[in-house]
Amino acid sequence: MRARSALALTLSILTLAWLAVLPSIGPLVDAGGRAGGAWLLRQQLLYLSGLLSIGLMALALVLALRLPWLERPLGGMDQVYRLHKWAGVGAALAAMAHWATKESSGWMTVLWSRAGKPARDAVLPWLTGSRGLAKDVGEWAFYLLLAAIALTLLTRLLAYRPWRLLHRAMPVLFLALAFHSLALTPLAWWSQPAGLLMGALLALGSAAALWSLAGRIGQRRRHAARIHSLQVLGEGPGAPLEVVCAVAPSWPGHRAGQFTFVRFDSGEGAHPFTIASAPASLGRDARGDELLRLVIKPLGDYTRTLRGRLRRGQALDIEGPYGQFDGRGAAARQQVWVAAGVGITPFLALLEARQGDAAPAGALPAQLHYCTRNAAADPLLARLQTLCAQALPPVRLTVHDAARGQRLTPAALAATPGALDLWYCGPQGLGDALADQARHEPWRLHRESFAMR
């Protein structure tokens, strides 16, 4: 919800800035009559769609920098990336509207000739001779942006590596569109709110694009590590892989429920994995480095290769920690945790933090619903049951075994009396169903979202 609100606020600010500059451009009805009004409306739609597209692209690039101070207002780095994704989609839609409005010149000429078509607005004097080049650059950048966004959304068409290379081109596309915008923005705008906002967006977006192209994203929070141990949990190709990492002393520590970006290979990008151990719960290795546990389910083309690629002692980079998924809430609400499949990993860390005499500050009794495909073959269930039995404050475990026809439904949770703090991590389908139910219930839904592609 915070991501939606932030996106709505961004769109509102951009639109209001356009409205504020509208009177300085001219009325939508002039001496040209209906034809003149239509041409002027087309002109204004070109400006609005261009401002929306460049504004949303700049937002997406800034969000991709993984700035820690954005986590709290947006509800965690996973939600930052959720907003990043939809800002990119919005930028592509606005770019499509911009292109379609530009192409409308042909049929409008057929209907009304060019009667009433406004003269071209003056632009920055030192870019007057660059109009033609800026238009060509903008058109080709639009085609490439549209293709990139389409392939980003249709992730099943691309394996991770080519998808990553394609995504790395986004900053270059923004720089091309920034030149297009700078060269074609009306001169009268630059002393108005829309021009001031456009200048700020071009500067911020260009700085973020250059930072990204330089490979600086997350570098200040990156820590050297190595693989301490590896263990396959269960049997079969779908069994999760437990990776215990030894992290260098520069690691600042983490809170239970947080995640990290991991680079197992310098040629690969960073992949998000939940830290499945509580702070200090695994102790330290012989060198004094803190140990962290990752539990990786082979769900995608990249994670399926890790079992054959990783080796004990292998060097890696760990970036973070990130996230606000702490399993806490208001004392007036019941704490209900829902995990499905590998979504149990943040709850394992939260449960480990409740072992022993010292309960975590602010922790409350909770009820955990664990959805598994087959409880009899689940490699994590025995450990989960032990952790719940020893947790303080207590955590009551309910297992929903799909192999026995036991499926958790949002309606079943709705039967729980009172207001809920509902924490969910798992597949998108169940998460969407819980979100739909939450609209009709006194629930606060906290949802971990790792759909970062």
Side-chain angles (χ1 to χ4, degrees):
M1 185 60 72
R2 294 180 188 180
R4 290 183 184 178
S5 299
L7 184 59
L9 179 61
T10 301
L11 292 172
S12 299
I13 291 173
L14 293 170
T15 304
L16 287 172
W18 169 75
L19 288 173
V21 81
L22 189 59
S24 68
I25 302 297
L28 291 182
V29 179
D30 65 358
R34 180 180 299 176
W39 281 110
L40 281 169
L41 178 61
R42 171 185 176 273
Q43 184 184 54
Q44 296 308 313
L45 290 177
L46 271 174
Y47 295 151
L48 174 61
S49 56
L51 178 61
L52 290 174
S53 183
I54 207 72
L56 290 171
M57 273 200 78
L59 174 64
L61 284 168
V62 170
L63 293 171
L65 298 181
R66 298 202 280 269
L67 302 172
W69 56 268
L70 287 174
E71 286 204 82
R72 184 167 295 279
L74 291 176
M77 190 57 67
D78 57 315
Q79 300 304 316
V80 171
Y81 266 86
R82 185 166 174 252
L83 177 57
H84 161 83
K85 175 180 179 178
W86 289 111
V89 172
L93 293 175
M96 290 176 63
H98 188 74
W99 176 84
T101 304
K102 182 185 82 70
E103 294 298 311
S104 67
S105 176
W107 63 262
M108 289 182 67
T109 300
V110 172
L111 287 177
W112 295 303
S113 73
R114 292 183 176 269
K117 184 176 182 179
R120 293 189 302 185
D121 281 305
V123 296
L124 292 169
W126 48 281
L127 287 172
T128 301
S130 302
R131 278 184 181 271
L133 177 61
K135 288 182 177 180
D136 291 340
V137 167
E139 184 168 1
W140 281 106
F142 160 72
Y143 295 140
L144 293 172
L145 172 66
L146 198 61
I149 292 292
L151 289 173
T152 296
L153 292 176
L154 300 173
T155 53
R156 292 183 181 180
L157 296 181
L158 285 179
Y160 173 75
R161 189 180 289 271
W163 173 87
R164 177 173 176 261
L165 292 175
L166 178 66
H167 213 63
R168 291 280 292 167
M170 293 294 189
V172 178
L173 293 181
F174 178 84
L175 294 174
L177 291 170
F179 167 67
H180 171 86
S181 302
L182 187 65
L184 298 178
T185 295
L187 181 62
W189 274 38
W190 295 110
S191 59
Q192 301 290 330
L196 298 175
L197 180 60
M198 176 68 85
L201 291 170
L202 292 176
L204 283 173
S206 298
L210 293 172
W211 192 261
S212 175
L213 290 172
R216 303 281 292 177
I217 293 178
Q219 190 172 53
R220 293 181 179 179
R221 305 193 79 189
R222 206 174 294 173
H223 309 275
R226 67 186 183 283
I227 296 178
H228 177 76
S229 65
L230 293 165
Q231 181 181 359
V232 178
L233 304 178
E235 299 179 355
L241 177 66
E242 180 185 83
V243 183
V244 176
C245 306
V247 192
S250 62
W251 175 253
H254 70 284
R255 300 190 310 274
Q258 289 191 299
F259 69 92
T260 182
F261 286 94
V262 180
R263 293 173 181 81
F264 290 112
D265 185 331
S266 59
E268 291 282 351
H271 295 261
F273 298 108
T274 298
I275 302 172
S277 56
S281 64
L282 299 183
R284 298 180 179 272
D285 70 353
R287 301 185 191 180
D289 293 340
E290 183 175 352
L291 299 178
L292 306 177
R293 179 190 292 113
L294 309 176
V295 177
I296 302 172
K297 185 80 170 176
L299 297 174
D301 56 278
Y302 173 76
T303 51
R304 290 191 190 100
T305 68
L306 293 181
R307 188 187 298 187
R309 294 170 54 185
L310 302 186
R311 297 289 182 271
R312 184 179 178 184
Q314 179 177 328
L316 58 116
D317 288 332
I318 288 185
E319 178 193 327
Y322 297 105
Q324 301 286 318
F325 198 80
D326 58 14
R328 302 178 187 179
R333 292 174 171 270
Q334 295 190 62
Q335 303 305 302
V336 176
W337 302 349
V338 178
V342 76
I344 193 60
T345 49
F347 297 108
L348 291 175
L350 292 171
L351 286 165
E352 281 192 0
R354 293 181 176 225
Q355 306 301 299
D357 297 331
L364 298 167
Q367 179 178 353
L368 171 59
H369 294 269
Y370 177 45
C371 305
T372 178
R373 290 184 177 180
N374 187 344
D378 192 315
L380 299 174
L381 183 55
R383 179 165 163 240
L384 179 64
Q385 290 170 327
T386 300
L387 289 172
C388 287
Q390 298 174 354
L392 290 174
V395 176
R396 182 161 57 90
L397 174 65
T398 302
V399 178
H400 304 268
D401 185 359
R404 300 176 61 184
Q406 301 168 352
R407 295 186 181 275
L408 177 67
T409 64
L413 290 181
T416 305
L420 305 182
D421 264 317
L422 184 60
W423 298 82
Y424 173 74
C425 187
Q428 183 173 341
L430 179 55
D432 290 343
L434 290 172
D436 290 340
Q437 186 71 38
R439 296 189 181 97
H440 310 290
E441 305 290 343
W443 296 352
R444 288 179 184 166
L445 177 61
H446 313 263
R447 183 178 177 184
E448 190 85 302
S449 176
F450 279 112
M452 296 186 181
R453 281 184 62 178

